[in-house]
Amino acid sequence: MGIYTDLAAEARELNPDIEGIEEQIEEKDDVRISRIEVKTEQAAKTIGKAVGHYTTVDAPKLAQREPETFERVGAIVAQELKRLLRCGENAAVAVIGLGNRFITPDALGPRVVENAFVTRHITAYMPEQLMRPIRPVAAIAPGVLGVTGVETLEIVRALVEHVRPAAVIAIDSLASRRAARISTTVQIADTGISPGSGVGNERKGLNAETLGVPVIALGVPTVVYASTITQDTISLIADETGLHGDEEKLLSLAEKVIDQHFGPMVVTPKDIDQIVRDMSSILAYGVNFALHTDYYEDIKALLS
Amino acid sequence: MGIYTDLAAEARELNPDIEGIEEQIEEKDDVRISRIEVKTEQAAKTIGKAVGHYTTVDAPKLAQREPETFERVGAIVAQELKRLLRCGENAAVAVIGLGNRFITPDALGPRVVENAFVTRHITAYMPEQLMRPIRPVAAIAPGVLGVTGVETLEIVRALVEHVRPAAVIAIDSLASRRAARISTTVQIADTGISPGSGVGNERKGLNAETLGVPVIALGVPTVVYASTITQDTISLIADETGLHGDEEKLLSLAEKVIDQHFGPMVVTPKDIDQIVRDMSSILAYGVNFALHTDYYEDIKALLS
Amino acid sequence: MGIYTDLAAEARELNPDIEGIEEQIEEKDDVRISRIEVKTEQAAKTIGKAVGHYTTVDAPKLAQREPETFERVGAIVAQELKRLLRCGENAAVAVIGLGNRFITPDALGPRVVENAFVTRHITAYMPEQLMRPIRPVAAIAPGVLGVTGVETLEIVRALVEHVRPAAVIAIDSLASRRAARISTTVQIADTGISPGSGVGNERKGLNAETLGVPVIALGVPTVVYASTITQDTISLIADETGLHGDEEKLLSLAEKVIDQHFGPMVVTPKDIDQIVRDMSSILAYGVNFALHTDYYEDIKALLS
Amino acid sequence: MGIYTDLAAEARELNPDIEGIEEQIEEKDDVRISRIEVKTEQAAKTIGKAVGHYTTVDAPKLAQREPETFERVGAIVAQELKRLLRCGENAAVAVIGLGNRFITPDALGPRVVENAFVTRHITAYMPEQLMRPIRPVAAIAPGVLGVTGVETLEIVRALVEHVRPAAVIAIDSLASRRAARISTTVQIADTGISPGSGVGNERKGLNAETLGVPVIALGVPTVVYASTITQDTISLIADETGLHGDEEKLLSLAEKVIDQHFGPMVVTPKDIDQIVRDMSSILAYGVNFALHTDYYEDIKALLS
């Protein structure tokens, strides 16, 4: 069955009763923070997500585009990112913006990188400009295989070998099962990016195994597979009619029909330009604040 | 029932048996040209499209993005546009690019205008640069109400009063029922743009009645309503199972469920940036070739 | 002699001793506000600027790109704009962004318009959304003659006839004699835009005479004529050597040589993308704050 | 003395009589191809350009922006590039776009990379799609130190180690002494990029020594130092008046004055957006045609 989701929280919803997964939920006003731990390989296999920690920040109010909500969610992203980052205050970090900057729903990573507070060149070449030590941060958007002709992993690996960061933060656009999540959800995971996940699917994984340092994945859903819209509707209908037998039959018919008529069509909301602009600004704030917490304002001024 | 389509050909498919509509179909290799005439007010009311002529150019091969197909379809668009344009060879024409240039699926009109061969300032102020008379063409993208604070119709009306063209070509992004049409269909109509149609729906109509000159509408579907994806799937399932009774019940359930869970969500393919780039280049070629047929190359050189 | 400046303050510097001009200078910390009044037609003719008021805000510290300076200068622009605007608190205003959005140094006007708080459609069509009356603001970027085929004045005139604003604010990129002014100077004038001034020079004037309502011109220099760089250097050399006789000779030689070798070349700093981004954001703040002073935050929230 | 030019042809003009430099000139219609060889370290030191071959293509007619000229110059660039490239027909090549894509005059390299025909991923991962062997081409725009926090050389070195190309083509924006050259000149050199040259000057060299493979530098002037405009004028004046004694005195005064009043100001023509668009399209054609000569059309179709 096609699951088509990059969100651990959605994968778990589809498999609510399996063992080896723990979830803790915190509500902050209107923001819901779910912290899922996939604890066993068995559970990982069932829900199709690697062993590790997944934090999902759900803020439906983001859809109303109020600056106040943006700031609040940015601060929560920063805090959850720090919780999973677990490296020294001044340890070097590399920020990697995955995806293709010329395809709007895929441009989240490159956009966050554009707004990252990059400091490594200052710490390395102009330390005299600094009153005190700060964290060296490097940031690149390595492009995608179809555009560069080179595996993303190879470019990132080379960067990691040269910069020798204590951790990598990899930012990526995600696929969700539910379109409503597109402007309202952020996922942070300490598992890195798995092979084949993400909107572009030819990628090799970026993770502790391939890069040799911890990789925190930070993402926002920007697309859904058209087929999941249908599947959701059919499920909802079955829920409402109580005809769960029919549901299975309908679903399998639906899949056949969708495959024939739509193919693997990936859709995104009409206002994706605005959504990517807003969400990348929230993530950039989250990353910058997590990485330079106490000196955020100083570094902002230094770089302007 | 929600129809949610700007394409007369789709509206007709949903009402195949009504009177007062004529359709003529021509196949050119792999391109299908359907010429529909809505002849009576009764038919217009039933299918929700004004009385007039609608030409639909369907070129599924466009999805493969081959330059050769782009050229061929551009030439067909030019020819069908001329068929409906019916004005003198050197009569002034105003090209209007509707939509919001900052929302990719809505940016088709402004993008075509950017690439239109504008000549009115030359004919009006620098006629000595010309070896022979050419058609004066003006072109603007008037923006949308929410961005300018002014009704599009008012800006266009003012332009028409000043330029006094023999005809207006209004280019707009459309909504289709079927996502597959998004990169492969062009619609040309001599009815203008009706009130409330188009992706943005607060618009007053741009047509012969409101502007005083014939208005040719030229458009490409760039979005679908999420709900139509579901509806299509359910119809296809019903077709396949033969359960047309269940279909009606399911459809009405589906609509209720979709309304609750998705709202009026409008989606677009993930690669919409590329699609809008390609389709606006095809339309621009079609418009430029239709307007400056014999002098196309000369005017291209003059404006470069 | 070629003056090539759109700044009244520079035109006056070149003619320091003529009658019919009054200047008042105010210093606010590191910002210098010069308020020049050209009082007689004779003076207007000599310095090549229409009779009226010209406020020049010089903030050399802007070159350091600190957010704090941006805010401070934005507030001064708002205050000086209000001083010249002289219309009722809730009187309608039309904001016109002149220039070509696809030529970076000419894109200032369109960029400010993109960020203007447009409210006219709310006051006209959704007054129930408002707790109290607010000022109706419309905003358009009409494009340039070479792109639309229509005189800018005609599009603006049509808009003014429909919207019937109490005043127009016209924003434009300017030419300065001194490149250093490009990122640090704002000019506000109650004279409108004169024929032939501005970076693009084929324009008819936008002013009280042509539009029937007061026109406030708001601009920032973004270009210099290459020849003025040479002229300035020669003047500075003459100042330093005391050889003012030679200066005249050199200048006239220089002009001849420049004309032959450079032509009317217009140059802009290498970092013009950043400069236009920063200055348009300062001007947008100035315009929005001047137009919606007491309700600035409310309207910002309403439009987000 | 400040020379401020990246063009070997200009450096030579300033030192016309030195030994160790050979120049051969070919005229093709209105295009002038100058092939300079710097043969000795002594000559290299005097003119500030490394030992090696420099081809300058001067096409003043490019300023008129005719498609026919663009094609003709693109073909000449391809031919001269092949002359210096000297590697097997199917040997791998890495195309590196230097510069900052968000600063228009510096964006030439990234823009060429966007339009390069990248084939390495096909040869490496989908060879079955090919009827015959083709040249593997990889392409990246590594960003600049101030944006990524990482030396460009390090990113490129890593790429070269992974891709193991037979040669590198590095594309960069250049500084010229004469603004008129900005839209009309292309330089191709087999010396790579020297430390400190180019518009951004903190770069380490990209050359055979640092990368281990031949590096062909391909560039177009997009900026001039404001001071060179003055220097040129003073030189021209001195030429015209015959006062070469005064020239030296004036020049040294000019430099002092310019330093004080302008600093190291770098300027670019007002229409730089258009120039970078045109020139990067010419260079992309030149690179693609040089790299895939016989299969240019096939590969264009394959990648569309």
Side-chain angles (χ1 to χ4, degrees):
Chain A
M1 189 191 59
I3 289 189
Y4 301 128
T5 178
D6 291 317
L7 297 178
E10 287 188 343
R12 178 171 158 73
E13 278 166 24
L14 294 170
N15 300 276
D17 302 322
I18 60 170
E19 287 188 9
I21 294 187
E22 270 179 24
E23 180 165 15
Q24 177 224 334
I25 285 169
E26 185 182 343
E27 310 261 354
K28 283 200 180 176
D29 304 322
D30 43 6
V31 179
R32 187 170 177 278
I33 304 168
S34 144
R35 298 191 192 91
I36 289 176
E37 184 180 356
V38 177
K39 302 182 82 158
T40 64
E41 285 298 338
Q42 176 62 38
K45 212 172 154 185
T46 311
I47 72 162
K49 299 286 149 206
V51 167
H53 298 84
Y54 300 84
T55 303
T56 312
V57 178
D58 270 314
K61 231 189 134 187
L62 278 176
Q64 291 158 46
R65 311 201 49 244
E66 286 167 15
E68 184 273 332
T69 318
F70 287 178
E71 265 175 54
R72 208 149 36 88
V73 174
I76 292 172
V77 168
Q79 161 207 300
E80 297 298 321
L81 198 49
K82 284 175 83 168
R83 195 189 284 257
L84 295 183
L85 195 60
R86 296 184 214 101
C87 70
E89 197 176 277
N90 286 342
V93 169
V95 179
I96 310 295
L98 299 170
N100 184 336
R101 75 174 72 239
F102 301 109
I103 296 178
T104 306
D106 202 25
L108 189 84
R111 297 276 183 87
V112 174
V113 157
E114 281 169 34
N115 293 299
F117 290 177
V118 169
T119 51
R120 182 177 173 274
H121 56 306
I122 304 174
T123 60
Y125 306 107
M126 300 170 274
E128 70 285 358
Q129 286 205 12
L130 300 168
M131 310 260 294
R132 62 179 94 74
I134 60 170
R135 183 197 295 280
V137 174
I140 68 163
V144 296
L145 178 60
V147 168
T148 63
V150 189
E151 293 265 7
T152 303
L153 172 60
E154 296 305 331
I155 300 178
V156 176
R157 179 142 51 192
L159 184 81
V160 165
E161 272 165 26
H162 179 65
V163 170
R164 303 210 168 276
V168 163
I169 298 176
I171 296 141
D172 204 3
S173 301
L174 307 177
S176 163
R177 281 183 62 79
R178 293 186 40 211
R181 276 214 148 103
I182 283 178
S183 50
T184 62
T185 295
V186 178
Q187 175 173 278
I188 309 157
D190 63 3
T191 57
I193 308 272
S194 298
S197 80
V199 171
N201 47 18
E202 74 292 276
R203 287 179 203 138
K204 287 191 190 148
L206 298 185
N207 48 47
E209 200 179 328
T210 55
L211 290 176
V213 296
V215 178
I216 308 300
L218 176 61
V220 165
T222 61
V223 299
V224 292
Y225 287 79
S227 54
T228 63
I229 296 178
T230 305
Q231 286 173 13
D232 270 14
T233 319
I234 291 175
S235 298
L236 292 166
I237 291 174
D239 285 356
E240 213 144 294
T241 57
L243 301 177
H244 282 279
D246 284 355
E247 178 194 11
E248 297 250 326
K249 212 172 62 195
L250 278 175
L251 262 177
S252 91
L253 244 178
E255 272 177 39
K256 208 176 109 195
V257 168
I258 291 165
D259 252 28
Q260 276 176 345
H261 292 266
F262 295 91
M265 204 172 63
V266 180
V267 297
T268 193
K270 190 195 157 198
D271 54 342
I272 186 66
D273 302 85
Q274 186 65 55
I275 288 172
V276 168
R277 198 150 44 229
D278 290 345
M279 296 310 284
S280 61
S281 132
I282 291 173
L283 292 200
Y285 176 77
V287 167
N288 290 333
F289 196 73
L291 294 183
H292 304 288
T293 314
D294 292 339
Y295 310 124
Y296 177 85
E297 289 298 339
D298 292 353
I299 290 175
K300 187 177 173 180
L302 179 69
L303 297 178
S304 71
Chain B
M1 189 193 57
I3 286 190
Y4 300 129
T5 178
D6 290 319
L7 297 178
E10 288 188 342
R12 177 169 159 75
E13 278 166 22
L14 294 169
N15 301 274
D17 303 321
I18 60 171
E19 289 188 7
I21 294 186
E22 271 179 24
E23 181 166 13
Q24 177 224 333
I25 286 169
E26 183 182 345
E27 309 262 354
K28 283 199 181 176
D29 304 321
D30 43 6
V31 180
R32 188 171 177 278
I33 305 167
S34 143
R35 300 192 191 90
I36 289 176
E37 184 179 359
V38 177
K39 303 182 83 159
T40 64
E41 285 298 338
Q42 177 62 38
K45 213 171 156 187
T46 309
I47 71 162
K49 300 287 149 207
V51 166
H53 299 82
Y54 299 85
T55 303
T56 312
V57 178
D58 270 313
K61 229 188 137 188
L62 278 176
Q64 291 160 45
R65 311 201 50 245
E66 287 167 14
E68 183 274 331
T69 317
F70 289 178
E71 265 174 55
R72 205 147 40 88
V73 174
I76 292 172
V77 169
Q79 161 207 301
E80 297 299 319
L81 199 49
K82 284 175 83 167
R83 195 188 285 256
L84 295 183
L85 196 59
R86 296 184 214 100
C87 69
E89 195 176 280
N90 286 342
V93 168
V95 178
I96 310 295
L98 299 170
N100 183 336
R101 77 172 72 237
F102 301 110
I103 296 178
T104 305
D106 204 23
L108 188 85
R111 297 276 183 87
V112 175
V113 157
E114 281 168 34
N115 293 300
F117 290 177
V118 169
T119 50
R120 183 179 173 273
H121 56 305
I122 303 173
T123 59
Y125 305 107
M126 299 171 275
E128 70 285 358
Q129 287 206 10
L130 299 170
M131 310 261 292
R132 62 179 94 75
I134 59 171
R135 184 198 294 281
V137 174
I140 67 161
V144 296
L145 177 61
V147 167
T148 62
V150 189
E151 293 265 8
T152 301
L153 171 61
E154 297 304 331
I155 300 178
V156 176
R157 180 143 51 194
L159 184 80
V160 165
E161 272 165 26
H162 179 65
V163 170
R164 303 210 169 277
V168 163
I169 298 175
I171 297 141
D172 205 2
S173 301
L174 307 177
S176 162
R177 281 183 62 78
R178 292 186 40 210
R181 276 212 149 105
I182 283 179
S183 51
T184 62
T185 296
V186 178
Q187 175 174 278
I188 309 156
D190 63 3
T191 57
I193 308 272
S194 299
S197 79
V199 172
N201 47 18
E202 74 290 274
R203 288 181 202 133
K204 287 190 191 151
L206 299 185
N207 48 46
E209 200 180 328
T210 57
L211 290 176
V213 295
V215 179
I216 307 300
L218 175 60
V220 165
T222 61
V223 300
V224 292
Y225 285 79
S227 54
T228 63
I229 296 177
T230 305
Q231 286 173 14
D232 270 14
T233 319
I234 290 175
S235 298
L236 293 168
I237 291 174
D239 285 357
E240 212 143 297
T241 57
L243 300 177
H244 282 279
D246 284 354
E247 179 194 12
E248 297 250 325
K249 212 169 65 193
L250 279 175
L251 261 178
S252 96
L253 243 177
E255 271 177 40
K256 207 175 110 195
V257 169
I258 290 165
D259 252 28
Q260 277 175 346
H261 292 266
F262 294 91
M265 203 172 66
V266 179
V267 297
T268 193
K270 190 198 156 196
D271 53 343
I272 186 65
D273 302 84
Q274 186 66 55
I275 289 171
V276 168
R277 197 150 46 228
D278 290 344
M279 296 310 284
S280 60
S281 133
I282 291 173
L283 293 199
Y285 176 78
V287 168
N288 289 333
F289 196 73
L291 294 183
H292 304 288
T293 314
D294 291 340
Y295 310 125
Y296 178 85
E297 289 297 340
D298 292 353
I299 290 174
K300 187 176 174 184
L302 180 71
L303 298 177
S304 70
Chain C
M1 189 191 58
I3 287 189
Y4 301 128
T5 178
D6 290 317
L7 297 178
E10 287 188 344
R12 178 169 158 74
E13 280 167 23
L14 293 170
N15 301 276
D17 303 321
I18 60 170
E19 289 190 7
I21 294 186
E22 270 180 24
E23 179 166 16
Q24 176 223 334
I25 285 167
E26 184 181 345
E27 310 260 355
K28 283 199 179 177
D29 305 321
D30 43 6
V31 180
R32 188 170 177 279
I33 304 167
S34 144
R35 299 192 192 91
I36 289 175
E37 184 179 358
V38 177
K39 304 182 83 159
T40 64
E41 285 297 340
Q42 176 61 37
K45 210 170 155 187
T46 310
I47 72 162
K49 299 286 149 206
V51 167
H53 297 83
Y54 300 84
T55 304
T56 312
V57 177
D58 270 314
K61 231 189 134 187
L62 279 176
Q64 291 158 48
R65 312 202 46 245
E66 287 168 15
E68 184 273 333
T69 317
F70 288 178
E71 267 175 53
R72 208 147 38 88
V73 174
I76 292 172
V77 168
Q79 162 207 299
E80 297 298 322
L81 198 50
K82 285 175 81 167
R83 193 189 285 256
L84 295 182
L85 196 58
R86 296 183 214 101
C87 70
E89 198 175 278
N90 286 343
V93 169
V95 179
I96 309 295
L98 300 170
N100 184 336
R101 77 174 72 239
F102 301 109
I103 296 177
T104 305
D106 203 26
L108 190 84
R111 297 276 183 88
V112 174
V113 157
E114 281 168 34
N115 294 300
F117 290 176
V118 169
T119 51
R120 182 177 173 275
H121 56 305
I122 304 173
T123 59
Y125 306 106
M126 300 169 275
E128 70 286 356
Q129 285 205 13
L130 299 169
M131 310 261 293
R132 62 179 93 75
I134 61 170
R135 183 198 296 280
V137 173
I140 67 162
V144 296
L145 178 61
V147 168
T148 62
V150 189
E151 293 263 7
T152 302
L153 172 59
E154 297 305 329
I155 300 177
V156 176
R157 180 141 53 192
L159 184 81
V160 165
E161 271 165 26
H162 179 66
V163 170
R164 302 211 169 277
V168 163
I169 299 176
I171 297 142
D172 205 2
S173 300
L174 307 177
S176 163
R177 282 183 61 79
R178 292 186 40 209
R181 276 211 149 105
I182 283 179
S183 51
T184 62
T185 296
V186 178
Q187 175 173 279
I188 310 156
D190 63 3
T191 57
I193 308 272
S194 298
S197 80
V199 172
N201 47 18
E202 75 290 276
R203 289 180 200 134
K204 287 189 191 152
L206 298 185
N207 48 45
E209 200 179 329
T210 56
L211 290 176
V213 295
V215 179
I216 308 299
L218 175 61
V220 165
T222 61
V223 299
V224 293
Y225 286 80
S227 54
T228 62
I229 296 178
T230 305
Q231 286 172 13
D232 269 14
T233 318
I234 290 175
S235 298
L236 292 167
I237 291 175
D239 285 357
E240 213 144 294
T241 56
L243 301 177
H244 282 278
D246 284 354
E247 178 194 13
E248 297 249 325
K249 212 171 62 194
L250 278 175
L251 262 178
S252 93
L253 243 179
E255 273 178 39
K256 207 175 110 196
V257 169
I258 291 164
D259 252 27
Q260 276 176 344
H261 292 267
F262 294 91
M265 202 172 64
V266 179
V267 296
T268 193
K270 190 196 156 198
D271 54 342
I272 186 65
D273 302 84
Q274 186 64 57
I275 289 172
V276 168
R277 197 149 49 228
D278 290 344
M279 297 310 284
S280 61
S281 133
I282 291 173
L283 293 199
Y285 177 78
V287 167
N288 289 333
F289 197 74
L291 294 183
H292 305 288
T293 313
D294 291 340
Y295 310 123
Y296 177 86
E297 289 298 338
D298 292 354
I299 290 176
K300 186 177 174 181
L302 179 70
L303 297 178
S304 72
Chain D
M1 188 190 60
I3 288 190
Y4 300 129
T5 178
D6 290 318
L7 297 178
E10 288 188 342
R12 178 169 157 76
E13 279 166 23
L14 294 170
N15 300 275
D17 303 322
I18 60 170
E19 289 189 8
I21 294 186
E22 270 180 23
E23 182 165 13
Q24 176 224 334
I25 285 169
E26 184 182 344
E27 310 262 355
K28 283 199 180 175
D29 304 324
D30 43 6
V31 180
R32 188 172 176 279
I33 304 168
S34 142
R35 299 190 192 93
I36 289 176
E37 184 179 359
V38 177
K39 303 182 83 159
T40 65
E41 285 298 337
Q42 177 61 36
K45 211 171 157 187
T46 310
I47 71 162
K49 299 288 150 206
V51 167
H53 299 83
Y54 300 84
T55 303
T56 312
V57 178
D58 269 315
K61 229 188 136 188
L62 279 176
Q64 291 159 45
R65 310 201 49 245
E66 287 167 15
E68 183 273 332
T69 318
F70 288 178
E71 265 174 55
R72 206 148 39 90
V73 174
I76 292 172
V77 169
Q79 161 207 303
E80 296 299 319
L81 198 48
K82 284 175 84 167
R83 193 189 286 258
L84 295 183
L85 195 57
R86 297 184 213 99
C87 69
E89 198 175 277
N90 286 343
V93 169
V95 179
I96 310 295
L98 300 170
N100 184 337
R101 76 173 73 238
F102 301 109
I103 296 177
T104 305
D106 203 25
L108 188 84
R111 297 275 184 88
V112 174
V113 157
E114 280 169 34
N115 294 301
F117 289 177
V118 169
T119 51
R120 183 179 171 274
H121 56 305
I122 303 173
T123 59
Y125 305 108
M126 299 171 275
E128 70 285 358
Q129 287 206 11
L130 299 170
M131 310 260 292
R132 61 178 95 73
I134 59 170
R135 185 198 294 281
V137 174
I140 68 164
V144 296
L145 178 61
V147 168
T148 62
V150 189
E151 293 265 6
T152 301
L153 171 60
E154 297 304 331
I155 300 178
V156 176
R157 179 141 54 191
L159 184 80
V160 165
E161 272 165 26
H162 180 65
V163 170
R164 302 212 169 276
V168 163
I169 299 175
I171 297 141
D172 204 3
S173 301
L174 307 177
S176 162
R177 282 182 62 81
R178 293 186 40 210
R181 277 213 147 104
I182 283 178
S183 51
T184 62
T185 296
V186 178
Q187 175 174 280
I188 309 157
D190 63 3
T191 57
I193 307 272
S194 298
S197 80
V199 173
N201 47 18
E202 75 291 275
R203 288 181 201 132
K204 285 190 191 153
L206 298 186
N207 48 46
E209 199 179 332
T210 56
L211 291 176
V213 295
V215 179
I216 308 300
L218 176 60
V220 165
T222 60
V223 300
V224 292
Y225 286 79
S227 54
T228 62
I229 295 177
T230 305
Q231 286 173 12
D232 270 13
T233 320
I234 290 175
S235 298
L236 292 168
I237 291 174
D239 285 355
E240 213 145 292
T241 57
L243 300 178
H244 282 278
D246 282 357
E247 178 194 12
E248 296 250 325
K249 212 170 65 193
L250 278 174
L251 262 178
S252 94
L253 242 177
E255 272 177 40
K256 208 176 108 195
V257 169
I258 291 164
D259 252 28
Q260 277 176 347
H261 291 266
F262 293 91
M265 203 172 66
V266 180
V267 298
T268 193
K270 190 197 157 198
D271 53 344
I272 186 65
D273 301 84
Q274 186 65 55
I275 288 172
V276 168
R277 198 151 45 230
D278 290 344
M279 295 311 282
S280 60
S281 133
I282 291 173
L283 293 199
Y285 176 77
V287 168
N288 290 333
F289 197 74
L291 294 183
H292 304 289
T293 315
D294 291 340
Y295 310 125
Y296 178 85
E297 290 298 339
D298 292 353
I299 290 176
K300 187 176 174 183
L302 180 71
L303 298 177
S304 71

